[in-house]
Amino acid sequence: MAGLLLKNVAKLYPNGGVGVKDISMEIADGEFAVLAGPAGSGKSTLLRMIGGLEDISQGDIYIGGVRVNDLEPRDRGVAMIFRNYILYPQMTVYENLAFGLRLSGCGKDEIHERVTETAKLLEITELLDLPSEQVTGIDRYKVAVGRAVARKPKVLLMDDPMLCVDGELRREMREGLAELYRHLGVTVIYVTEDAGEAMALGTRLVVIRDGALEQTGTPEEVYEKPINRFVAEYFGDPAINVLEAMVGEENGRAVLTVAGSHGVFSEENSRRLLAAGYAGKEITVGVRPEDIHCEPECLERFSDNLIDACADVYETAGDAAYMSFRVGSYTMKAKVPQSAGIRPGDEVKLAVDPSRVYIFDKDTQKAI
Ligand code: ADP
Ligand code: MG
């Protein structure tokens, strides 16, 4: 059992800076957990406390059921990979992989076996005899990863290893890491600011803002059921459309007025809104670009939720195409098939699937 348990963990820096405020959470054995959040939210602080590089101001950290607060980093069963994965330049790749094993007192035969096995897993066997300074690109990263995993850590900690990497190399690193994780069966705690990367890699997301835990769940849970507006806006590219809406009640059902258009809520949202007394009040609604449609069959299907919009600009993001629309004073983005033939300046009707509308309290911004 090499899961991770945090109980009321906090970090107050000596200068009074708050790194992390009272975080409690559990990461199961074998999970790929991603700490995601904006710069300065406390991700690195939390990771360093788990790894033993930073004192814990308050609370307890358990790895595999053992309280590690007072254990040295090397006694915690963790390995860390940082952004600037510096290799020992004078050593061969083999020596780089063997270094940590030698320090932890492994015998020669065991070192050889582990280094060979790790190199095979990472497909760097042919590099083993090279001086590490001659290794470049993705291979350099693989050696750094190899050095960390050769010791068979229980938990692998990674602090935004791909922050300064772009394009093809980044894609390769990401895919390689996902594959390695499947092979190793290790628990991973991975830090990133990149919401898309978090979604792509994590089996569990831990969303942090201002040193506090906002939400934890599978990528699907966090995307589909964000606990508040912040989480809803953080995940999704292009971001969710957010608008102010007025809630009304007609024949026992909650209805809304938004940017001059009228619509109905799903039965579930209607029940929640009326039960919590939102009739006659303003709320914040969110609609993801992929849940806004312009095809005739959708206009018919969601005929109770049509918006008057004016097409603005067309843009492609990844493999999909998005269009901006002016809707009252808002600009909304919708995933629109190129085949729809909408041109900038066209006045169109858009349909919203009511079951895909997120509702937030206007003041607290918490999901209703
Ligand atoms: P992230 O990794 O999410 O960008 P950090 O953990 O680095 O965030 O920082 C969290 C907060 O702690 C920030 O407000 C930052 O300024 C503060 N902080 C980080 N390291 C130190 C330090 N060594 N001394 C004082 N404050 C720090
Ligand atoms: Mg950081």
Side-chain angles (χ1 to χ4, degrees):
M1 215 283 288
L4 180 75
L5 178 65
L6 268 58
K7 279 190 183 166
N8 304 104
V9 171
K11 174 72 188 183
L12 191 66
Y13 283 105
N15 68 356
V18 179
V20 165
K21 301 171 200 164
D22 198 29
I23 288 188
S24 297
M25 65 173 187
E26 198 170 351
I27 304 292
D29 187 18
E31 202 116 48
F32 194 126
V34 179
L35 308 184
S41 55
K43 307 179 295 298
S44 297
T45 301
L46 195 56
L47 199 75
R48 289 203 304 266
M49 284 196 283
I50 296 167
L53 302 183
E54 199 78 71
D55 288 338
I56 302 165
S57 309
Q58 176 205 296
D60 297 297
I61 297 181
Y62 297 83
I63 297 174
V66 177
R67 184 176 177 276
V68 298
N69 287 46
D70 306 316
L71 294 186
E72 292 295 322
R74 64 168 178 278
D75 299 325
R76 294 186 180 201
V78 301
M80 281 181 259
I81 298 173
F82 296 99
R83 192 168 308 149
N84 322 313
Y85 32 92
I86 296 159
L87 307 178
Y88 308 117
Q90 309 305 330
M91 295 185 195
T92 61
V93 169
Y94 186 101
E95 289 300 322
N96 265 276
L97 297 192
F99 191 75
L101 294 167
R102 198 160 285 142
L103 279 189
S104 60
C106 285
K108 210 169 175 223
D109 290 346
E110 195 186 351
I111 292 178
H112 187 71
E113 193 179 311
R114 292 239 203 134
V115 169
T116 315
E117 190 188 332
T118 306
K120 203 169 149 203
L121 183 65
L122 289 161
E123 298 172 345
I124 50 172
T125 303
E126 71 284 7
L127 303 178
L128 283 174
D129 295 330
L130 277 187
S132 69
E133 57 194 354
Q134 287 179 25
V135 179
T136 55
I138 186 86
D139 290 332
R140 242 186 127 64
Y141 164 72
K142 283 184 177 183
V143 176
V145 172
R147 203 171 46 182
V149 302
R151 287 162 47 212
K152 297 212 166 116
K154 289 185 273 189
V155 182
L156 186 60
L157 305 175
M158 305 180 83
D159 194 347
D160 222 340
M162 302 180 202
L163 184 72
C164 305
V165 185
D166 281 329
E168 179 65 7
L169 180 57
R170 190 180 177 108
R171 200 184 53 76
E172 266 184 62
M173 283 167 77
R174 188 189 284 185
E175 283 174 9
L177 183 59
E179 199 182 319
L180 181 72
Y181 162 70
R182 284 196 296 276
H183 276 96
L184 287 176
V186 67
T187 304
V188 178
I189 317 284
Y190 183 99
V191 162
T192 184
E193 277 174 39
D194 183 325
E197 187 167 287
M199 285 269 163
L201 285 172
T203 60
R204 171 157 300 267
L205 304 187
V206 178
V207 189
I208 300 178
R209 175 171 59 156
D210 293 339
L213 183 71
E214 292 279 305
Q215 186 167 6
T216 161
T218 64
E220 293 73 27
E221 282 164 354
V222 169
Y223 193 76
E224 300 292 338
K225 296 201 181 316
I227 201 152
N228 57 28
R229 175 177 171 173
F230 167 78
V231 176
E233 289 188 293
Y234 198 74
F235 296 97
D237 181 25
I240 190 168
N241 298 290
V242 177
L243 314 100
E244 303 294 314
M246 188 67 190
V247 181
E249 186 178 352
E250 277 173 18
N251 307 320
R253 177 93 180 247
V255 295
L256 78 163
T257 308
V258 55
S261 298
H262 300 279
V264 298
F265 286 102
S266 67
E267 263 177 51
E268 192 188 339
N269 280 348
S270 172
R271 208 168 353 94
R272 283 189 200 186
L273 286 164
L274 297 182
Y278 281 96
K281 290 187 184 161
E282 278 202 319
I283 62 163
T284 304
V285 295
V287 192
R288 296 206 182 270
E290 64 268 30
D291 299 320
I292 302 177
H293 310 277
C294 63
E295 301 89 326
E297 62 272 22
C298 295
L299 297 181
E300 198 168 316
R301 189 153 139 232
F302 305 123
S303 60
D304 287 337
N305 287 321
L306 301 181
I307 313 172
D308 291 312
C310 179
D312 205 349
V313 287
Y314 202 63
E315 59 194 82
T316 49
D319 56 358
Y322 293 87
M323 186 138 210
S324 294
F325 292 90
R326 271 176 285 122
V327 177
S329 59
Y330 295 102
T331 298
M332 294 180 75
K333 284 201 174 157
K335 194 173 177 187
V336 168
Q338 239 142 353
S339 60
I342 299 176
R343 305 262 169 277
D346 286 356
E347 302 280 346
V348 295
K349 284 209 185 292
L350 298 174
V352 175
D353 176 352
S355 71
R356 305 284 313 157
V357 171
Y358 301 67
I359 50 175
F360 306 104
D361 183 275
K362 191 171 173 242
D363 298 323
T364 66
Q365 299 292 312
K366 285 192 179 142
I368 296 169

